[in-house]
Protein backbone atom coordinates (compact mmCIF):
# COMPACT_ATOMS: atom_id res chain seq x y z
CA UNK A 1 0.00 0.00 0.00
CA UNK A 2 1.43 3.35 -1.09
CA UNK A 3 0.89 6.38 1.15
CA UNK A 4 -1.31 9.20 -0.26
CA UNK A 5 1.52 11.76 -0.48
CA UNK A 6 3.71 9.22 -2.26
CA UNK A 7 0.83 8.43 -4.63
CA UNK A 8 0.21 12.10 -5.44
CA UNK A 9 3.88 12.56 -6.30
CA UNK A 10 3.58 9.84 -8.95
CA UNK A 11 0.33 11.05 -10.52
CA UNK A 12 -0.04 13.34 -13.50
CA UNK A 13 -0.85 16.69 -11.87
CA UNK A 14 -3.28 17.93 -14.52
CA UNK A 15 -5.22 14.66 -14.57
CA UNK A 16 -5.38 14.57 -10.76
CA UNK A 17 -6.68 18.15 -10.55
CA UNK A 18 -9.33 17.30 -13.15
CA UNK A 19 -10.35 14.13 -11.29
CA UNK A 20 -10.80 16.07 -8.08
CA UNK A 21 -13.05 18.62 -9.82
CA UNK A 22 -15.03 16.10 -11.88
CA UNK A 23 -18.60 15.07 -11.28
CA UNK A 24 -18.97 11.59 -9.88
CA UNK A 25 -19.05 9.17 -7.02
CA UNK A 26 -15.45 8.75 -5.87
CA UNK A 27 -14.24 10.46 -2.67
CA UNK A 28 -10.69 11.81 -2.96
CA UNK A 29 -9.27 9.40 -0.37
CA UNK A 30 -10.63 6.44 -2.33
CA UNK A 31 -9.57 7.90 -5.67
CA UNK A 32 -5.99 8.20 -4.40
CA UNK A 33 -6.12 4.64 -3.02
CA UNK A 34 -7.42 3.44 -6.39
CA UNK A 35 -4.65 5.23 -8.27
CA UNK A 36 -2.07 4.05 -5.74
CA UNK A 37 -3.16 0.44 -6.20
CA UNK A 38 -2.97 0.76 -9.97
CA UNK A 39 0.62 1.98 -9.66
CA UNK A 40 1.48 -1.41 -8.12
CA UNK A 41 -0.21 -3.49 -10.85
CA UNK A 42 2.03 -5.75 -12.92
CA UNK A 43 3.41 -4.03 -16.03
CA UNK A 44 2.57 -3.35 -18.77
CA UNK A 45 -1.22 -3.40 -18.37
CA UNK A 46 -3.68 -2.66 -19.86
CA UNK A 47 -6.09 -1.58 -17.15
CA UNK A 48 -9.88 -1.67 -17.42
CA UNK A 49 -12.67 0.12 -15.56
CA UNK A 50 -16.36 -0.76 -15.65
CA UNK A 51 -18.48 2.32 -14.86
CA UNK A 52 -17.05 5.53 -16.34
CA UNK A 53 -19.96 7.90 -15.58
CA UNK A 54 -18.42 11.38 -16.10
CA UNK A 55 -14.86 10.14 -15.71
CA UNK A 56 -14.04 10.99 -12.11
CA UNK A 57 -12.48 7.62 -11.16
CA UNK A 58 -11.28 7.34 -14.77
CA UNK A 59 -9.18 10.48 -14.30
CA UNK A 60 -7.70 9.23 -11.00
CA UNK A 61 -6.70 6.00 -12.73
CA UNK A 62 -5.60 7.85 -15.85
CA UNK A 63 -3.38 10.09 -13.71
CA UNK A 64 -1.55 6.90 -12.66
CA UNK A 65 -1.58 5.35 -16.14
CA UNK A 66 0.32 8.29 -17.67
CA UNK A 67 3.51 7.63 -15.69
CA UNK A 68 3.23 3.87 -16.15
CA UNK A 69 2.89 4.25 -19.90
CA UNK A 70 -0.15 1.99 -19.82
CA UNK A 71 -3.56 2.26 -21.48
CA UNK A 72 -6.76 2.46 -19.46
CA UNK A 73 -9.96 1.20 -21.04
CA UNK A 74 -13.22 2.43 -19.53
CA UNK A 75 -16.57 0.79 -20.30
CA UNK A 76 -20.05 2.28 -19.83
CA UNK A 77 -23.28 2.37 -21.81
CA UNK A 78 -23.62 5.94 -20.52
CA UNK A 79 -27.36 5.54 -19.93
CA UNK A 80 -26.90 5.53 -16.16
CA UNK A 81 -27.64 3.00 -13.47
CA UNK A 82 -31.08 2.59 -11.92
CA UNK A 83 -30.36 5.26 -9.29
CA UNK A 84 -29.34 7.76 -12.02
CA UNK A 85 -32.68 7.64 -13.87
CA UNK A 86 -35.08 10.63 -13.84
CA UNK A 87 -36.87 10.82 -10.49
CA UNK A 88 -34.26 8.68 -8.69
CA UNK A 89 -31.90 9.79 -5.92
CA UNK A 90 -28.76 10.18 -8.04
CA UNK A 91 -30.32 11.70 -11.18
CA UNK A 92 -28.60 14.81 -12.51
CA UNK A 93 -30.91 16.93 -14.69
CA UNK A 94 -27.88 18.28 -16.63
CA UNK A 95 -26.97 14.80 -17.84
CA UNK A 96 -29.68 14.09 -20.40
CA UNK A 97 -29.68 13.99 -24.19
CA UNK A 98 -32.12 15.70 -26.60
CA UNK A 99 -34.61 12.86 -26.05
CA UNK A 100 -34.48 13.29 -22.27
CA UNK A 101 -32.51 10.11 -21.66
CA UNK A 102 -29.53 9.95 -19.31
CA UNK A 103 -26.32 10.59 -21.28
CA UNK A 104 -23.01 10.84 -19.43
CA UNK A 105 -20.76 10.45 -22.49
CA UNK A 106 -20.36 14.24 -23.07
CA UNK A 107 -19.31 14.53 -19.41
CA UNK A 108 -16.71 11.79 -19.83
CA UNK A 109 -15.28 13.40 -22.98
CA UNK A 110 -15.01 16.76 -21.24
CA UNK A 111 -13.19 15.19 -18.27
CA UNK A 112 -10.75 13.30 -20.52
CA UNK A 113 -10.08 16.46 -22.54
CA UNK A 114 -9.54 18.65 -19.48
CA UNK A 115 -7.36 15.95 -17.88
CA UNK A 116 -5.15 15.62 -20.97
CA UNK A 117 -5.95 11.91 -21.05
CA UNK A 118 -7.24 11.47 -24.61
CA UNK A 119 -4.18 9.40 -25.59
CA UNK A 120 -4.11 7.37 -22.37
CA UNK A 121 -7.78 6.43 -21.90
CA UNK A 122 -9.90 4.53 -24.43
CA UNK A 123 -13.64 4.79 -23.83
CA UNK A 124 -15.90 1.97 -24.94
CA UNK A 125 -19.62 2.78 -25.10
CA UNK A 126 -21.80 -0.27 -24.64
CA UNK A 127 -23.25 -2.78 -22.20
CA UNK A 128 -20.54 -4.26 -19.99
CA UNK A 129 -21.38 -7.96 -20.64
CA UNK A 130 -21.46 -7.36 -24.42
CA UNK A 131 -17.99 -5.81 -24.32
CA UNK A 132 -16.66 -8.52 -22.00
CA UNK A 133 -17.93 -11.22 -24.37
CA UNK A 134 -15.64 -9.97 -27.17
CA UNK A 135 -12.70 -9.10 -24.90
CA UNK A 136 -9.52 -11.20 -25.14
CA UNK A 137 -6.62 -9.15 -23.75
CA UNK A 138 -5.29 -10.12 -20.30
CA UNK A 139 -5.69 -7.23 -17.86
CA UNK A 140 -3.30 -6.29 -15.07
CA UNK A 141 -5.82 -4.07 -13.25
CA UNK A 142 -9.61 -4.36 -13.17
CA UNK A 143 -11.88 -1.85 -11.45
CA UNK A 144 -15.55 -2.80 -11.03
CA UNK A 145 -17.84 0.20 -10.41
CA UNK A 146 -20.71 -0.33 -12.85
CA UNK A 147 -24.35 -1.11 -12.14
CA UNK A 148 -25.05 -2.16 -8.54
CA UNK A 149 -28.08 -4.40 -9.09
CA UNK A 150 -27.43 -8.07 -8.24
CA UNK A 151 -27.63 -9.21 -11.86
CA UNK A 152 -25.31 -6.52 -13.23
CA UNK A 153 -22.79 -6.67 -10.39
CA UNK A 154 -22.48 -10.47 -10.38
CA UNK A 155 -22.49 -10.44 -14.18
CA UNK A 156 -19.57 -7.99 -14.23
CA UNK A 157 -17.62 -10.17 -11.82
CA UNK A 158 -18.38 -13.32 -13.84
CA UNK A 159 -17.59 -11.79 -17.22
CA UNK A 160 -14.56 -9.62 -16.40
CA UNK A 161 -12.62 -11.34 -13.61
CA UNK A 162 -11.49 -14.23 -15.89
CA UNK A 163 -9.65 -11.59 -17.96
CA UNK A 164 -7.47 -10.59 -15.02
CA UNK A 165 -3.99 -12.06 -15.32
CA UNK A 166 -2.18 -13.82 -12.49
CA UNK A 167 -0.84 -11.26 -10.03
CA UNK A 168 -3.26 -8.69 -11.42
CA UNK A 169 -5.32 -6.46 -9.14
CA UNK A 170 -9.10 -6.42 -8.76
CA UNK A 171 -10.59 -3.26 -7.26
CA UNK A 172 -14.26 -3.16 -6.21
CA UNK A 173 -16.10 0.00 -5.21
CA UNK A 174 -19.06 0.45 -2.84
CA UNK A 175 -18.25 -2.57 -0.69
CA UNK A 176 -20.30 -2.20 2.51
CA UNK A 177 -20.02 -5.03 5.06
CA UNK A 178 -22.82 -3.36 7.08
CA UNK A 179 -26.15 -3.37 5.17
CA UNK A 180 -27.06 -0.04 6.79
CA UNK A 181 -24.25 1.62 4.78
CA UNK A 182 -25.28 0.48 1.31
CA UNK A 183 -26.41 -2.20 -1.14
CA UNK A 184 -25.27 -5.82 -0.99
CA UNK A 185 -24.05 -6.78 -4.50
CA UNK A 186 -20.55 -5.19 -4.39
CA UNK A 187 -19.97 -6.80 -0.99
CA UNK A 188 -21.24 -10.12 -2.36
CA UNK A 189 -18.79 -10.18 -5.25
CA UNK A 190 -15.99 -9.16 -2.88
CA UNK A 191 -16.87 -12.22 -0.75
CA UNK A 192 -17.13 -14.42 -3.84
CA UNK A 193 -13.65 -13.35 -4.91
CA UNK A 194 -12.17 -14.13 -1.47
CA UNK A 195 -14.13 -17.39 -1.10
CA UNK A 196 -12.92 -18.59 -4.49
CA UNK A 197 -9.43 -18.81 -3.02
CA UNK A 198 -8.10 -17.10 -6.16
CA UNK A 199 -7.71 -13.68 -4.52
CA UNK A 200 -6.04 -12.21 -1.46
CA UNK A 201 -6.93 -8.82 0.01
CA UNK A 202 -4.39 -6.05 -0.50
CA UNK A 203 -6.09 -2.98 0.95
CA UNK A 204 -9.35 -1.40 2.12
CA UNK A 205 -10.02 2.34 1.94
CA UNK A 206 -13.53 3.57 2.63
CA UNK A 207 -15.74 1.37 0.45
CA UNK A 208 -12.88 0.49 -1.92
CA UNK A 209 -11.36 -2.99 -1.72
CA UNK A 210 -8.29 -4.09 -3.63
CA UNK A 211 -7.54 -7.80 -4.13
CA UNK A 212 -4.70 -9.56 -5.90
CA UNK A 213 -5.16 -12.62 -8.09
CA UNK A 214 -2.88 -15.40 -6.91
N1 LIG B 1 -16.75 5.36 -11.51
C1 LIG B 1 -17.69 6.47 -11.57
C2 LIG B 1 -19.10 6.13 -11.14
C3 LIG B 1 -19.77 5.04 -11.94
S1 LIG B 1 -21.52 5.05 -11.72
C4 LIG B 1 -17.15 7.66 -10.76
O1 LIG B 1 -16.05 7.61 -10.26
O2 LIG B 1 -17.86 8.66 -10.62
C5 LIG B 1 -21.97 3.55 -12.49
C6 LIG B 1 -21.97 3.60 -14.01
O3 LIG B 1 -22.20 2.27 -14.47
C7 LIG B 1 -23.05 4.49 -14.65
O4 LIG B 1 -22.45 5.49 -15.43
C8 LIG B 1 -23.86 3.51 -15.53
O5 LIG B 1 -24.23 4.03 -16.81
C9 LIG B 1 -22.90 2.35 -15.68
N2 LIG B 1 -23.56 1.07 -15.92
C10 LIG B 1 -24.54 0.49 -15.17
N3 LIG B 1 -24.87 -0.71 -15.67
C11 LIG B 1 -24.10 -0.90 -16.78
C12 LIG B 1 -23.98 -1.94 -17.75
N4 LIG B 1 -24.74 -3.04 -17.67
N5 LIG B 1 -23.11 -1.78 -18.77
C13 LIG B 1 -22.35 -0.65 -18.85
N6 LIG B 1 -22.40 0.35 -17.96
C14 LIG B 1 -23.27 0.25 -16.94
MG1 LIG C 1 -19.03 3.56 -6.99
Amino acid sequence: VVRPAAVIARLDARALATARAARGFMPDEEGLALAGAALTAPRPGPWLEVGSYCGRSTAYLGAAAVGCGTTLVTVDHHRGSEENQPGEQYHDTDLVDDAGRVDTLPGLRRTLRDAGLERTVVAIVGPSPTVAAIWATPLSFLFLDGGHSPAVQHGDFDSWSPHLRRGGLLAIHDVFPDPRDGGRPPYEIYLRALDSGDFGEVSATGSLRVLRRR
Side-chain angles (χ1 to χ4, degrees):
V1 181
V2 194
R3 292 176 48 76
V7 172
I8 290 170
R10 291 178 61 190
L11 299 182
D12 181 87
R14 176 178 165 193
L16 174 59
T18 305
R20 286 174 154 167
R23 235 189 273 229
F25 307 104
M26 178 62 55
D28 188 57
E29 184 197 25
E30 296 175 19
L32 292 175
L34 181 68
L39 289 170
T40 70
R43 303 295 174 92
W47 305 345
L48 188 138
E49 168 183 71
V50 181
S52 329
Y53 196 63
C54 294
R56 186 172 165 92
S57 53
T58 317
Y60 279 104
L61 282 173
V66 170
C68 296
T70 195
T71 296
L72 168 65
V73 177
T74 186
V75 180
D76 200 309
H77 52 37
H78 288 283
R79 293 304 186 189
S81 299
E82 286 153 1
E83 63 274 20
N84 305 128
Q85 301 310 311
E88 300 297 326
Q89 186 181 3
Y90 294 101
H91 178 65
D92 191 327
T93 50
D94 295 346
L95 303 178
V96 290
D97 66 13
D98 56 0
R101 296 183 62 198
V102 172
D103 185 4
T104 54
L105 183 56
L108 174 66
R109 279 184 71 76
R110 197 175 310 121
T111 300
L112 296 180
R113 178 198 66 198
D114 292 352
L117 288 172
E118 292 184 324
R119 289 179 309 282
T120 301
V121 178
V122 174
I124 298 183
V125 182
S128 172
T130 306
V131 180
I134 56 165
W135 191 262
T137 308
L139 302 168
S140 70
F141 190 89
L142 172 63
F143 176 45
L144 296 181
D145 192 24
H148 287 19
S149 71
V152 172
Q153 188 78 199
H154 285 272
D156 281 343
F157 179 71
D158 290 334
S159 60
W160 284 109
S161 66
H163 294 295
L164 191 63
R165 58 180 263 197
R166 263 186 229 158
L169 297 176
L170 169 65
I172 306 172
H173 198 225
D174 304 303
V175 171
F176 298 111
D178 187 335
R180 287 169 296 188
D181 296 330
R184 300 294 75 211
Y187 181 59
E188 289 166 6
I189 66 164
Y190 159 78
L191 292 182
R192 282 183 60 198
L194 289 178
D195 290 348
S196 72
D198 294 340
F199 293 88
E201 183 156 341
V202 176
S203 68
T205 308
S207 73
L208 182 75
R209 297 291 181 281
V210 180
L211 313 177
R212 187 182 295 275
R213 165 154 261 151
R214 295 192 220 279

